[in-house]
Amino acid sequence: MIELTRELIDRAEQAGVKLEIVDGLPMWEGFPAVRHQREVFRIQQTIRRIAASVQTTADDSPCCFFHYSDIYVRFSDGSLKRPDIAIFCTEDIEQEDAVTALPEAVIEVISPGFEAKDLDIGARFYQAHGVKDVIVFDPRTLVVLHLRQSGAERLISPVTLDLRCGCQVTV
């Protein structure tokens, strides 16, 4: 299955599309436009540790924040997602293939025509797999949806959010 997935990913990239596999279903998306990439970069630049926060990892070491854009993450059920921004507490995720560590938080920037992928399918999927903070941003409407296990908030950008992992981001 992994070899087949790697081959499909390579073929998709050669064709100019991103491939995700969610609950066994392939989902295709064109490569992001400049506006999308600009928003991802802008948001990534605002990720900061909350000064009063001292979150620790499972082995009680301080939680350090590492964020990556557009990397493949393989979830425990074999699903393969490519979040616009994934935030981790550990840098120890260097892998040649998809990352298997669970992100602490995920930020998705909606591209026109792919709203359902990020809002309906992706957001629920991330929550079901234990991602603590899921943020979906629509740069056309400036709507920010912040999802946690405790509920959802609908906000308007620009807004600064404190994430459960102990960092802050401005969307």
Short mmCIF file of all heavy atoms in Angstrom, two decimals, residues 1-12 17-29 71-83 97-99 108 117 121-122 125-126 129:
data_model
loop_
_atom_site.label_atom_id
_atom_site.label_comp_id
_atom_site.label_asym_id
_atom_site.label_seq_id
_atom_site.Cartn_x
_atom_site.Cartn_y
_atom_site.Cartn_z
N MET A 1 0.83 -1.20 0.00
CA MET A 1 0.00 0.00 0.00
C MET A 1 0.87 1.25 0.00
O MET A 1 0.59 2.18 -0.73
CB MET A 1 -0.93 -0.04 1.22
CG MET A 1 -1.66 1.23 1.48
SD MET A 1 -3.15 1.35 0.49
CE MET A 1 -3.91 2.73 1.26
N ILE A 2 1.94 1.27 0.82
CA ILE A 2 2.79 2.46 0.89
C ILE A 2 3.47 2.72 -0.45
O ILE A 2 3.54 3.85 -0.90
CB ILE A 2 3.80 2.35 2.05
CG1 ILE A 2 3.06 2.42 3.38
CG2 ILE A 2 4.84 3.45 1.96
CD1 ILE A 2 3.92 2.22 4.59
N GLU A 3 3.96 1.67 -1.11
CA GLU A 3 4.58 1.84 -2.42
C GLU A 3 3.58 2.38 -3.44
O GLU A 3 3.89 3.27 -4.21
CB GLU A 3 5.17 0.51 -2.91
CG GLU A 3 6.46 0.14 -2.24
CD GLU A 3 7.55 1.19 -2.42
OE1 GLU A 3 7.73 1.70 -3.54
OE2 GLU A 3 8.22 1.50 -1.43
N LEU A 4 2.37 1.84 -3.42
CA LEU A 4 1.32 2.32 -4.31
C LEU A 4 1.02 3.79 -4.03
O LEU A 4 0.89 4.59 -4.95
CB LEU A 4 0.06 1.48 -4.15
CG LEU A 4 -1.14 1.89 -5.00
CD1 LEU A 4 -0.80 1.82 -6.47
CD2 LEU A 4 -2.33 1.03 -4.69
N THR A 5 0.96 4.15 -2.75
CA THR A 5 0.68 5.54 -2.38
C THR A 5 1.81 6.45 -2.86
O THR A 5 1.55 7.51 -3.42
CB THR A 5 0.50 5.67 -0.86
OG1 THR A 5 -0.54 4.78 -0.45
CG2 THR A 5 0.13 7.07 -0.47
N ARG A 6 3.06 6.06 -2.67
CA ARG A 6 4.20 6.88 -3.10
C ARG A 6 4.14 7.08 -4.61
O ARG A 6 4.36 8.16 -5.12
CB ARG A 6 5.51 6.20 -2.67
CG ARG A 6 6.79 6.81 -3.19
CD ARG A 6 7.01 8.29 -3.06
NE ARG A 6 6.76 8.90 -1.81
CZ ARG A 6 6.50 10.19 -1.65
NH1 ARG A 6 6.46 11.00 -2.69
NH2 ARG A 6 6.27 10.71 -0.49
N GLU A 7 3.81 6.02 -5.35
CA GLU A 7 3.70 6.13 -6.81
C GLU A 7 2.57 7.08 -7.20
O GLU A 7 2.74 7.93 -8.08
CB GLU A 7 3.46 4.75 -7.43
CG GLU A 7 3.39 4.79 -8.94
CD GLU A 7 3.11 3.43 -9.54
OE1 GLU A 7 3.45 2.41 -8.93
OE2 GLU A 7 2.52 3.42 -10.64
N LEU A 8 1.43 6.97 -6.53
CA LEU A 8 0.31 7.87 -6.82
C LEU A 8 0.66 9.32 -6.50
O LEU A 8 0.32 10.23 -7.26
CB LEU A 8 -0.93 7.46 -6.03
CG LEU A 8 -1.68 6.23 -6.53
CD1 LEU A 8 -2.78 5.86 -5.56
CD2 LEU A 8 -2.23 6.48 -7.92
N ILE A 9 1.33 9.54 -5.38
CA ILE A 9 1.73 10.90 -4.99
C ILE A 9 2.67 11.48 -6.05
O ILE A 9 2.50 12.62 -6.49
CB ILE A 9 2.39 10.89 -3.60
CG1 ILE A 9 1.34 10.63 -2.53
CG2 ILE A 9 3.12 12.21 -3.34
CD1 ILE A 9 1.92 10.36 -1.16
N ASP A 10 3.65 10.70 -6.46
CA ASP A 10 4.60 11.18 -7.48
C ASP A 10 3.89 11.51 -8.78
O ASP A 10 4.14 12.55 -9.39
CB ASP A 10 5.69 10.14 -7.72
CG ASP A 10 6.64 9.98 -6.54
OD1 ASP A 10 6.65 10.87 -5.66
OD2 ASP A 10 7.35 8.96 -6.49
N ARG A 11 2.97 10.66 -9.19
CA ARG A 11 2.24 10.90 -10.44
C ARG A 11 1.33 12.13 -10.32
O ARG A 11 1.21 12.91 -11.26
CB ARG A 11 1.44 9.66 -10.83
CG ARG A 11 2.36 8.51 -11.25
CD ARG A 11 1.62 7.25 -11.52
NE ARG A 11 0.86 7.37 -12.76
CZ ARG A 11 0.00 6.47 -13.16
NH1 ARG A 11 -0.23 5.40 -12.44
NH2 ARG A 11 -0.64 6.63 -14.29
N ALA A 12 0.71 12.29 -9.15
CA ALA A 12 -0.15 13.46 -8.93
C ALA A 12 0.67 14.74 -9.02
O ALA A 12 0.25 15.71 -9.67
CB ALA A 12 -0.85 13.35 -7.58
N VAL A 17 -1.16 18.27 -9.29
CA VAL A 17 -2.22 18.21 -8.29
C VAL A 17 -1.68 17.61 -7.00
O VAL A 17 -0.70 16.86 -6.99
CB VAL A 17 -3.45 17.39 -8.77
CG1 VAL A 17 -4.13 18.06 -9.93
CG2 VAL A 17 -3.06 15.98 -9.11
N LYS A 18 -2.35 17.96 -5.90
CA LYS A 18 -2.04 17.39 -4.60
C LYS A 18 -3.01 16.23 -4.35
O LYS A 18 -4.19 16.34 -4.65
CB LYS A 18 -2.22 18.43 -3.49
CG LYS A 18 -1.20 19.52 -3.52
CD LYS A 18 -1.35 20.61 -2.48
CE LYS A 18 -2.26 20.44 -1.34
NZ LYS A 18 -2.24 21.53 -0.37
N LEU A 19 -2.50 15.16 -3.81
CA LEU A 19 -3.32 13.99 -3.51
C LEU A 19 -3.38 13.81 -2.00
O LEU A 19 -2.36 13.87 -1.31
CB LEU A 19 -2.71 12.74 -4.14
CG LEU A 19 -3.29 11.39 -3.70
CD1 LEU A 19 -4.75 11.26 -4.14
CD2 LEU A 19 -2.46 10.25 -4.24
N GLU A 20 -4.59 13.61 -1.49
CA GLU A 20 -4.80 13.21 -0.11
C GLU A 20 -5.69 11.98 -0.13
O GLU A 20 -6.52 11.82 -1.04
CB GLU A 20 -5.47 14.31 0.71
CG GLU A 20 -4.62 15.54 0.87
CD GLU A 20 -5.28 16.61 1.74
OE1 GLU A 20 -6.49 16.54 2.00
OE2 GLU A 20 -4.56 17.51 2.15
N ILE A 21 -5.49 11.10 0.83
CA ILE A 21 -6.34 9.92 0.94
C ILE A 21 -6.95 9.95 2.34
O ILE A 21 -6.23 9.87 3.33
CB ILE A 21 -5.54 8.63 0.71
CG1 ILE A 21 -4.93 8.66 -0.69
CG2 ILE A 21 -6.44 7.41 0.90
CD1 ILE A 21 -3.97 7.55 -1.00
N VAL A 22 -8.27 10.13 2.40
CA VAL A 22 -8.98 10.27 3.67
C VAL A 22 -9.98 9.13 3.78
O VAL A 22 -10.88 9.01 2.94
CB VAL A 22 -9.68 11.64 3.77
CG1 VAL A 22 -10.44 11.76 5.07
CG2 VAL A 22 -8.66 12.76 3.64
N ASP A 23 -9.81 8.32 4.81
CA ASP A 23 -10.70 7.17 5.01
C ASP A 23 -10.79 6.31 3.76
O ASP A 23 -11.85 5.82 3.39
CB ASP A 23 -12.10 7.61 5.45
CG ASP A 23 -12.08 8.29 6.82
OD1 ASP A 23 -11.23 7.91 7.65
OD2 ASP A 23 -12.91 9.18 7.04
N GLY A 24 -9.67 6.16 3.05
CA GLY A 24 -9.62 5.32 1.87
C GLY A 24 -10.05 5.99 0.57
O GLY A 24 -9.93 5.40 -0.50
N LEU A 25 -10.54 7.22 0.66
CA LEU A 25 -11.01 7.93 -0.54
C LEU A 25 -9.97 8.94 -1.02
O LEU A 25 -9.54 9.80 -0.25
CB LEU A 25 -12.31 8.67 -0.23
CG LEU A 25 -13.49 7.79 0.20
CD1 LEU A 25 -14.65 8.66 0.65
CD2 LEU A 25 -13.91 6.88 -0.94
N PRO A 26 -9.57 8.87 -2.29
CA PRO A 26 -8.62 9.85 -2.81
C PRO A 26 -9.29 11.21 -3.01
O PRO A 26 -10.44 11.28 -3.46
CB PRO A 26 -8.17 9.26 -4.15
CG PRO A 26 -9.25 8.31 -4.54
CD PRO A 26 -9.92 7.85 -3.28
N MET A 27 -8.58 12.25 -2.65
CA MET A 27 -9.07 13.63 -2.84
C MET A 27 -7.97 14.40 -3.56
O MET A 27 -6.82 14.39 -3.12
CB MET A 27 -9.41 14.26 -1.49
CG MET A 27 -10.53 13.53 -0.80
SD MET A 27 -10.97 14.09 0.86
CE MET A 27 -10.35 15.68 1.03
N TRP A 28 -8.34 15.06 -4.64
CA TRP A 28 -7.39 15.78 -5.47
C TRP A 28 -7.62 17.27 -5.34
O TRP A 28 -8.73 17.73 -5.21
CB TRP A 28 -7.57 15.38 -6.93
CG TRP A 28 -7.46 13.91 -7.15
CD1 TRP A 28 -8.48 13.00 -7.06
CD2 TRP A 28 -6.30 13.16 -7.45
NE1 TRP A 28 -8.01 11.75 -7.30
CE2 TRP A 28 -6.66 11.81 -7.55
CE3 TRP A 28 -4.96 13.51 -7.65
CZ2 TRP A 28 -5.76 10.81 -7.84
CZ3 TRP A 28 -4.07 12.50 -7.95
CH2 TRP A 28 -4.46 11.18 -8.04
N GLU A 29 -6.54 18.03 -5.43
CA GLU A 29 -6.63 19.49 -5.38
C GLU A 29 -5.49 20.05 -6.23
O GLU A 29 -4.36 19.55 -6.16
CB GLU A 29 -6.51 19.97 -3.94
CG GLU A 29 -6.57 21.47 -3.78
CD GLU A 29 -6.49 21.91 -2.32
OE1 GLU A 29 -6.20 21.10 -1.44
OE2 GLU A 29 -6.73 23.09 -2.07
N ILE A 71 3.25 19.42 4.18
CA ILE A 71 3.91 18.12 4.29
C ILE A 71 2.86 17.03 4.41
O ILE A 71 1.75 17.28 4.89
CB ILE A 71 4.87 18.04 5.50
CG1 ILE A 71 4.11 18.21 6.82
CG2 ILE A 71 6.01 19.03 5.35
CD1 ILE A 71 4.90 17.86 8.05
N TYR A 72 3.20 15.84 3.96
CA TYR A 72 2.28 14.72 4.11
C TYR A 72 2.34 14.19 5.53
O TYR A 72 3.42 13.99 6.09
CB TYR A 72 2.62 13.60 3.14
CG TYR A 72 2.07 13.82 1.76
CD1 TYR A 72 2.90 14.15 0.70
CD2 TYR A 72 0.71 13.69 1.52
CE1 TYR A 72 2.38 14.35 -0.57
CE2 TYR A 72 0.18 13.88 0.25
CZ TYR A 72 1.02 14.21 -0.78
OH TYR A 72 0.50 14.41 -2.03
N VAL A 73 1.15 13.97 6.11
CA VAL A 73 1.02 13.35 7.43
C VAL A 73 0.20 12.09 7.26
O VAL A 73 -0.91 12.14 6.71
CB VAL A 73 0.33 14.31 8.44
CG1 VAL A 73 0.17 13.62 9.79
CG2 VAL A 73 1.11 15.61 8.57
N ARG A 74 0.76 10.95 7.70
CA ARG A 74 0.04 9.67 7.65
C ARG A 74 -0.58 9.43 9.02
O ARG A 74 0.11 9.41 10.03
CB ARG A 74 0.95 8.51 7.27
CG ARG A 74 0.17 7.20 7.12
CD ARG A 74 1.03 6.06 6.63
NE ARG A 74 1.77 6.35 5.42
CZ ARG A 74 1.26 6.32 4.18
NH1 ARG A 74 0.00 6.01 4.00
NH2 ARG A 74 2.01 6.59 3.14
N PHE A 75 -1.89 9.28 9.05
CA PHE A 75 -2.61 9.07 10.30
C PHE A 75 -2.71 7.58 10.62
O PHE A 75 -2.43 6.73 9.77
CB PHE A 75 -3.99 9.73 10.22
CG PHE A 75 -3.89 11.23 10.27
CD1 PHE A 75 -3.59 11.96 9.13
CD2 PHE A 75 -4.07 11.90 11.47
CE1 PHE A 75 -3.47 13.34 9.18
CE2 PHE A 75 -3.94 13.29 11.53
CZ PHE A 75 -3.65 14.00 10.38
N SER A 76 -3.08 7.28 11.86
CA SER A 76 -3.08 5.90 12.34
C SER A 76 -3.95 4.95 11.51
O SER A 76 -3.68 3.76 11.45
CB SER A 76 -3.50 5.85 13.81
OG SER A 76 -4.81 6.39 13.95
N ASP A 77 -4.97 5.48 10.83
CA ASP A 77 -5.83 4.63 10.01
C ASP A 77 -5.31 4.48 8.57
O ASP A 77 -5.96 3.88 7.72
CB ASP A 77 -7.26 5.17 9.98
CG ASP A 77 -7.39 6.48 9.22
OD1 ASP A 77 -6.36 7.13 8.91
OD2 ASP A 77 -8.53 6.88 8.92
N GLY A 78 -4.12 5.04 8.30
CA GLY A 78 -3.53 4.97 6.97
C GLY A 78 -3.87 6.15 6.08
O GLY A 78 -3.32 6.29 4.99
N SER A 79 -4.78 7.01 6.54
CA SER A 79 -5.13 8.20 5.76
C SER A 79 -3.91 9.10 5.61
O SER A 79 -3.02 9.13 6.47
CB SER A 79 -6.26 8.97 6.44
OG SER A 79 -7.46 8.25 6.40
N LEU A 80 -3.89 9.82 4.52
CA LEU A 80 -2.77 10.68 4.18
C LEU A 80 -3.31 12.08 3.92
O LEU A 80 -4.10 12.28 3.01
CB LEU A 80 -2.11 10.12 2.92
CG LEU A 80 -0.72 10.55 2.56
CD1 LEU A 80 0.26 10.18 3.66
CD2 LEU A 80 -0.30 9.87 1.26
N LYS A 81 -2.92 13.05 4.77
CA LYS A 81 -3.38 14.44 4.61
C LYS A 81 -2.16 15.33 4.41
O LYS A 81 -1.05 15.00 4.82
CB LYS A 81 -4.15 14.90 5.86
CG LYS A 81 -5.47 14.23 6.06
CD LYS A 81 -6.58 14.79 5.20
CE LYS A 81 -6.95 16.19 5.58
NZ LYS A 81 -7.54 16.95 4.49
N ARG A 82 -2.42 16.47 3.81
CA ARG A 82 -1.36 17.44 3.53
C ARG A 82 -1.83 18.82 4.02
O ARG A 82 -2.24 19.66 3.21
CB ARG A 82 -1.11 17.42 2.03
CG ARG A 82 0.17 18.04 1.60
CD ARG A 82 0.42 17.68 0.15
NE ARG A 82 1.47 18.52 -0.42
CZ ARG A 82 1.98 18.34 -1.60
NH1 ARG A 82 1.55 17.35 -2.36
NH2 ARG A 82 2.91 19.12 -2.04
N PRO A 83 -1.79 19.05 5.34
CA PRO A 83 -2.28 20.33 5.86
C PRO A 83 -1.42 21.50 5.37
O PRO A 83 -0.22 21.35 5.12
CB PRO A 83 -2.16 20.18 7.38
CG PRO A 83 -1.33 18.99 7.62
CD PRO A 83 -1.29 18.17 6.38
N ASP A 97 9.43 9.81 4.01
CA ASP A 97 8.06 9.65 3.51
C ASP A 97 7.16 10.54 4.36
O ASP A 97 7.60 11.51 4.96
CB ASP A 97 7.66 8.17 3.59
CG ASP A 97 6.48 7.84 2.69
OD1 ASP A 97 6.27 8.54 1.68
OD2 ASP A 97 5.76 6.89 3.00
N ALA A 98 5.92 10.19 4.47
CA ALA A 98 4.97 10.98 5.25
C ALA A 98 5.31 10.93 6.74
O ALA A 98 5.77 9.91 7.25
CB ALA A 98 3.56 10.44 5.03
N VAL A 99 5.08 12.04 7.41
CA VAL A 99 5.27 12.13 8.85
C VAL A 99 4.19 11.30 9.54
O VAL A 99 3.02 11.35 9.14
CB VAL A 99 5.17 13.62 9.29
CG1 VAL A 99 5.13 13.76 10.79
CG2 VAL A 99 6.30 14.42 8.69
N GLU A 108 -5.66 25.20 7.93
CA GLU A 108 -5.98 25.04 6.50
C GLU A 108 -6.45 26.38 5.96
O GLU A 108 -7.24 27.07 6.60
CB GLU A 108 -7.07 24.00 6.29
CG GLU A 108 -6.68 22.58 6.64
CD GLU A 108 -5.79 21.91 5.59
OE1 GLU A 108 -5.30 22.61 4.67
OE2 GLU A 108 -5.60 20.70 5.70
N LYS A 117 -13.54 20.13 1.00
CA LYS A 117 -12.38 19.35 1.40
C LYS A 117 -11.83 19.83 2.74
O LYS A 117 -11.51 19.03 3.61
CB LYS A 117 -11.29 19.43 0.34
CG LYS A 117 -10.02 18.65 0.67
CD LYS A 117 -8.96 18.85 -0.37
CE LYS A 117 -7.82 19.70 -0.02
NZ LYS A 117 -7.32 19.90 1.27
N ILE A 121 -14.85 17.80 5.24
CA ILE A 121 -14.13 16.54 5.37
C ILE A 121 -12.91 16.69 6.28
O ILE A 121 -12.76 15.98 7.26
CB ILE A 121 -13.73 16.00 3.98
CG1 ILE A 121 -14.99 15.74 3.16
CG2 ILE A 121 -12.88 14.75 4.11
CD1 ILE A 121 -14.73 15.50 1.69
N GLY A 122 -12.05 17.63 5.95
CA GLY A 122 -10.79 17.77 6.66
C GLY A 122 -10.92 18.13 8.13
O GLY A 122 -10.29 17.51 8.99
N PHE A 125 -12.18 15.23 10.13
CA PHE A 125 -11.17 14.18 10.12
C PHE A 125 -10.08 14.48 11.16
O PHE A 125 -9.71 13.61 11.96
CB PHE A 125 -10.55 14.04 8.73
CG PHE A 125 -9.41 13.06 8.69
CD1 PHE A 125 -9.66 11.72 8.54
CD2 PHE A 125 -8.10 13.50 8.83
CE1 PHE A 125 -8.61 10.80 8.53
CE2 PHE A 125 -7.06 12.60 8.82
CZ PHE A 125 -7.31 11.25 8.67
N TYR A 126 -9.54 15.70 11.13
CA TYR A 126 -8.48 16.07 12.08
C TYR A 126 -8.98 15.92 13.52
O TYR A 126 -8.26 15.40 14.37
CB TYR A 126 -8.02 17.51 11.85
CG TYR A 126 -7.25 17.72 10.57
CD1 TYR A 126 -7.59 18.74 9.69
CD2 TYR A 126 -6.15 16.93 10.24
CE1 TYR A 126 -6.88 18.95 8.52
CE2 TYR A 126 -5.43 17.14 9.07
CZ TYR A 126 -5.80 18.16 8.22
OH TYR A 126 -5.09 18.37 7.08
N HIS A 129 -9.18 12.40 14.78
CA HIS A 129 -7.88 11.78 15.03
C HIS A 129 -7.10 12.43 16.16
O HIS A 129 -5.94 12.09 16.38
CB HIS A 129 -7.07 11.74 13.73
CG HIS A 129 -7.53 10.65 12.83
ND1 HIS A 129 -8.62 10.78 12.00
CD2 HIS A 129 -7.09 9.38 12.67
CE1 HIS A 129 -8.81 9.64 11.36
NE2 HIS A 129 -7.90 8.79 11.76
#
